[in-house]
Amino acid sequence: EIMFEIKKGKPAKKAEMRKSKYHFDKMTPGTYIEVPSKLVKVTSNGRKRCSVVSTAHNFGNRHGHKFVSEQQDTGAIRIYRVK
């Protein structure tokens, strides 16, 4: 069995937060962004989803916000900030 020694230390430089193209941090309750249908992919069960939906919900969980997604007739997806 391999045992790893636990050592004390800090990283040399602070980890930088990855820049988001969606700017969820700048959204306020009652605002939304719209993802065009050309960026929306159809999943294996036939539902249309895109990675921005899970990205928004994950961001909301980390920062105390709430986002709701809604499929439009055009195929686009709107991401609303509701809290």
Side-chain angles (χ1 to χ4, degrees), residues 1-80:
E1 182 178 336
I2 299 174
M3 297 288 286
F4 292 94
E5 181 183 351
I6 298 173
K7 299 178 181 181
K8 192 169 186 156
K10 295 181 182 178
K13 59 181 176 179
K14 189 176 179 180
E16 293 182 24
M17 190 170 146
R18 200 170 113 206
K19 292 186 180 182
S20 172
K21 58 184 166 184
Y22 302 115
H23 304 294
F24 296 125
D25 57 328
K26 295 180 181 161
M27 291 178 71
T28 57
T31 60
Y32 71 91
I33 61 169
E34 186 167 297
V35 180
S37 60
K38 65 182 178 184
L39 299 178
V40 177
K41 296 180 178 131
V42 179
T43 59
S44 59
N45 64 2
R47 295 182 69 198
K48 292 184 176 181
R49 290 281 104 188
C50 61
S51 64
V52 67
V53 173
S54 60
T55 302
H57 290 285
N58 290 335
F59 180 90
N61 288 337
R62 286 192 313 271
H63 297 280
H65 303 317
K66 182 170 172 120
F67 294 92
V68 173
S69 61
E70 181 179 76
Q71 181 82 43
Q72 302 299 300
D73 292 337
T74 61
I77 292 181
R78 286 186 182 173
I79 309 289
Y80 297 88

